[in-house]
Amino acid sequence: MADPTAITAALTGLFPLVKEVFLMTQVLFEADKKLRSIWARVELQRAIFDAWEDGWLDARDKPDDKIKAYAFEKPLLARGILKEFVSLLKTLSDPDKLKKRYGLRPDRIPKYATRNDDVPRDLRYYSDYLSGVDSRFNIKGLPAFNKSINDHLNLLKTVRYVIVGKDYELEDVVIRFTEFNRDLQLYTDSEANNEAAQKIYEVVLTGLHSKPDDPARLAEAALFEQKATIDPDAKRFYGDIAKFIGFSLSLRDVTVLNGRGLSPNMPSQKIFTRRDFSFDAPYKLGPHSTLARLLDYPTKYQTRLVLVEWVPVPKTVNVKTKLEGLKSEWYVLHADKPDGLLLPTAQGLVYDNTDSNFIGIVFQLPSHIRTEVPPKIAGRVDPRVVRSPKTTAAQRMPTSLRQLILQQPALDLGVRFKLAQKLLNSLHLMHTAGWMHKRIRADNILFFPSQSRDGEPDPTRLDFENPFLAGFHSTRLEIETSSVLEVAAKPLEHIRPLQGLGKVLNQPRVVALDAYQHPEYRYNVNLPYRNQYDLYGVGAVLLELGLWETLEMLEKGDIGRRGYDPRVVPTKDDIRKDGETVERAGWKLDRIMGSTYGKVVRECLTLKPMPGDLLGLERTLVARLAHCQA
């Protein structure tokens, strides 16, 4: 068996050669406009390889240390990776194979050409060393091997591929790169593959703002690969890439328009009035959100169940200006999104001239929840259909994570681990695209009833595989004191009421939801919102998920006892104490959820500014959570 040290040195040296053959192929297809589709597909495979490679790089952008550890821990798999590297390089450095299989001929770049050039001969000579990289390869051959690598790389930089075959032969080049990437994943452990699956979304958006045509071209390539493959996992992978790029481009378009003082065009049929809905009391979720029946939609006499979140319009803001701003939010949220993003699809807005206090955002619900809702049709009563909103609501209403924690026993560890990974993965995708949620809290994470075998909602089981991330209204919800009195150690009088108001306004309420916000932002809400603040919010949710306690229940109701009326600004001392309570609670996770989960949550909840690559940190945290198992 090959020496692990030799495998490490060989792989480290061959990385630049693999990247060079990718580059040579890209340049070849980029030069011919007729072959742009193949160029984009090669470019996509190059992006997938770059994402995989990134998982091996250390802080110095060198793969030495991680590959060395992998080679010693899993020598057979490391040897498999080396075998794939060598196989690809031998194929794309062999003049005979290039011509027979792919219709390509190696040729010298004109500025490097000499009178007695013989590129095929040089390629055979300088790539001959690859035949010696086999099971007997060891540390003794490294000096000569390293020299051969340098000579080979220097030669490739002076060579180009020339097309001499048919177009169908060129398709095989893309297939070869696709197989290469697939095989690399088979030889890589799950943590590295998970990181690569996250990194690919960052790689494909390179140049999003400076060269938006580049990611758009990759999205087309991903759609092509999705249609071409029969592997369901590959279909999902390429489909998610295409949707993610589309979502990111929508966000980029809105950013450009808003920078010019404009908003996106919105079809008039997407702006509803209150008369288009039936707002039944049993469907109400909270002060600013409700389910509702959208009447005569999508066609006359049909009805769809939707979620409406009401966005308040401050008296100081012109309602038309607010409407234009919400058009931008609709434009982004109505775009196709990968399932992992967890963001709902926006169907339109609710705006009435008669009500300038609120504008509604209409969201699409899961297919088995939104369809087959009994319509209101005068004079047409079918006794077989139950038309009571109360009964329908009982079958379709969601349950928030907060409600689950307050009312139900703790979910199985396996369910909680999966849910934590989904939430953190969703946040990473949002931040990669350039979107910040700003209101990630347990009450904004909804679970709808599962789908039964006959396609109907099953109210006895919640769908934990597909959490629904809501909370796009801009006001904070108020938690009534009754929800925390049972767990608070001190009675009601310890919750500060408003001073100087009447008895009605003097009823105290606990606003523990502010504790989901990073203390730095709570100190000064005029600060620009940062990704780290979102990460803190997810960390608070993962803390609740792990301890199965809401924030105001932590430390025997410590945060709850500092509750205050929503019209009272908390003191800096209150904010500091809230942060310290959350931080202390994070250390209890290890004995319940394991040390890996505990460390991930504590990194999310850190109060110190996070310099450097926050996306890289989120990517790593998602990969770590994937290892948490019940």
Side-chain angles (χ1 to χ4, degrees), residues 53-94:
E53 179 197 24
D54 187 84
W56 299 100
L57 303 180
D58 56 22
R60 300 172 292 116
D61 283 342
K62 299 290 185 183
D64 311 49
D65 294 340
K66 288 188 178 181
I67 289 179
K68 184 176 182 180
Y70 195 68
F72 275 92
E73 183 182 352
K74 300 176 180 179
L76 289 177
L77 294 180
R79 180 184 162 197
I81 295 174
L82 178 59
K83 180 182 175 182
E84 291 302 320
F85 273 37
V86 170
S87 175
L88 180 73
L89 291 171
K90 286 172 72 173
T91 299
L92 296 180
S93 297
D94 186 320

Side-chain angles (χ1 to χ4, degrees), residues 17 25 47 71 142 173 216 221 231 396 452 485 487 511 522 557:
L17 282 166
T25 312
L142 278 182
V173 179
D231 180 359
R396 300 169 190 264
S452 63
L485 288 180
V487 296
V511 184
R522 291 180 68 191

Side-chain angles (χ1 to χ4, degrees), residues 21 55 59 74 107 127 216 238 243 305 315 328 389 397 405 450 511 529 536 559:
V21 295
K74 300 176 180 179
D107 197 10
S127 64
Y238 288 119
K243 290 177 182 177
L305 199 63
K315 293 182 179 180
S328 297
M397 288 292 280
I405 295 174
S450 297
V511 184
Y529 202 87
Y536 185 91
I559 292 177

Side-chain angles (χ1 to χ4, degrees), residues 114-159:
T114 60
R115 181 176 297 179
N116 298 319
D117 252 349
D118 190 342
V119 175
R121 178 200 63 197
D122 292 345
L123 264 180
R124 290 190 189 94
Y125 176 78
Y126 285 111
S127 64
D128 184 61
Y129 71 99
L130 293 171
S131 301
V133 185
D134 55 19
S135 60
R136 296 181 299 277
F137 183 68
N138 57 58
I139 197 73
K140 294 180 180 178
L142 278 182
F145 178 80
N146 288 331
K147 182 179 184 309
S148 298
I149 282 180
N150 289 329
D151 292 341
H152 191 187
L153 182 60
N154 290 333
L155 173 65
L156 289 180
K157 289 180 176 180
T158 69
V159 171

Side-chain angles (χ1 to χ4, degrees), residues 44 48 200-201 204-205 208 214-227 234-250 335-339 341 429:
L44 177 62
I48 293 172
I200 184 62
Y201 295 108
V204 295
L205 292 189
L208 175 66
D214 289 357
R217 189 170 57 248
L218 290 178
E220 292 178 7
L223 286 174
F224 183 96
E225 299 297 346
Q226 182 190 27
K227 293 177 181 177
K235 276 186 178 294
R236 190 180 307 109
F237 172 71
Y238 288 119
D240 282 350
I241 289 176
K243 290 177 182 177
F244 179 75
I245 294 175
F247 173 77
S248 304
L249 288 171
S250 297
D336 277 346
K337 295 170 283 293
D339 293 339
L341 202 49
L429 292 179

Side-chain angles (χ1 to χ4, degrees), residues 192-476:
N193 278 332
N194 288 334
E195 280 209 53
Q198 298 298 314
K199 180 65 178 179
I200 184 62
Y201 295 108
E202 299 173 35
V203 175
V204 295
L205 292 189
T206 303
L208 175 66
H209 294 283
S210 58
K211 296 180 179 179
D213 287 346
D214 289 357
R217 189 170 57 248
L218 290 178
E220 292 178 7
L223 286 174
F224 183 96
E225 299 297 346
Q226 182 190 27
K227 293 177 181 177
T229 184
I230 59 173
D231 180 359
D233 291 335
K235 276 186 178 294
R236 190 180 307 109
F237 172 71
Y238 288 119
D240 282 350
I241 289 176
K243 290 177 182 177
F244 179 75
I245 294 175
F247 173 77
S248 304
L249 288 171
S250 297
L251 188 57
R252 183 245 177 214
D253 292 343
V254 162
T255 303
V256 172
L257 285 172
N258 291 347
R260 298 172 182 169
L262 303 172
S263 59
N265 292 325
M266 187 173 182
S268 59
Q269 61 267 32
K270 293 293 184 180
I271 301 180
F272 306 101
T273 68
R274 289 175 184 261
R275 292 187 300 274
D276 295 320
F277 298 85
S278 176
F279 294 104
D280 302 296
Y283 290 136
K284 189 174 181 180
L285 296 177
H288 299 285
S289 59
T290 181
L291 300 192
R293 288 185 287 175
L294 180 55
L295 307 175
D296 293 330
Y297 187 90
T299 59
K300 195 169 182 63
Y301 299 130
Q302 286 193 312
T303 302
R304 290 289 183 268
L305 199 63
V306 296
L307 169 67
V308 179
E309 292 199 336
W310 297 107
V311 179
V313 181
K315 293 182 179 180
T316 56
V317 176
N318 182 280
V319 66
K320 293 285 187 181
T321 303
K322 188 69 173 179
L323 179 64
E324 293 301 311
L326 288 176
K327 284 182 181 180
S328 297
E329 191 159 334
W330 164 83
Y331 184 82
V332 175
L333 289 174
H334 96 291
D336 277 346
K337 295 170 283 293
D339 293 339
L341 202 49
L342 302 186
L343 294 176
T345 297
Q347 285 187 248
L349 301 176
V350 185
Y351 170 68
D352 266 326
N353 290 324
T354 57
D355 184 0
S356 59
N357 296 319
F358 292 93
I359 298 174
I361 307 177
V362 184
F363 291 106
Q364 181 175 284
L365 300 179
S367 60
H368 67 290
I369 299 294
R370 67 177 181 261
T371 56
E372 301 300 325
V373 180
K376 284 185 175 180
I377 306 176
R380 294 178 60 183
V381 179
D382 186 343
R384 295 171 298 174
V385 179
V386 177
R387 300 186 184 280
S388 165
K390 186 175 181 180
T391 304
T392 305
Q395 296 172 338
R396 300 169 190 264
M397 288 292 280
T399 302
S400 72
L401 178 59
R402 175 178 172 76
Q403 289 173 306
L404 281 176
I405 295 174
L406 288 173
Q407 301 170 6
Q408 302 292 334
L411 299 175
D412 291 342
L413 280 180
V415 175
R416 286 189 275 170
F417 284 141
K418 284 184 179 179
L419 182 55
Q421 187 184 5
K422 286 176 183 290
L423 292 173
L424 196 50
N425 176 54
S426 175
L427 184 74
H428 173 254
L429 292 179
M430 282 186 232
H431 289 173
T432 301
W435 176 276
M436 291 184 289
H437 188 281
K438 300 184 181 181
R439 288 172 290 278
I440 296 176
R441 306 184 305 232
D443 59 294
N444 288 333
I445 299 167
L446 307 179
F447 304 98
F448 284 89
S450 297
Q451 187 173 13
S452 63
R453 291 184 178 180
D454 60 2
E456 291 292 314
D458 180 357
T460 64
R461 294 186 302 116
L462 293 177
D463 183 5
F464 296 115
E465 289 294 321
N466 298 290
F468 189 98
L469 198 53
F472 295 92
H473 50 77
S474 59
T475 60
R476 64 189 182 194

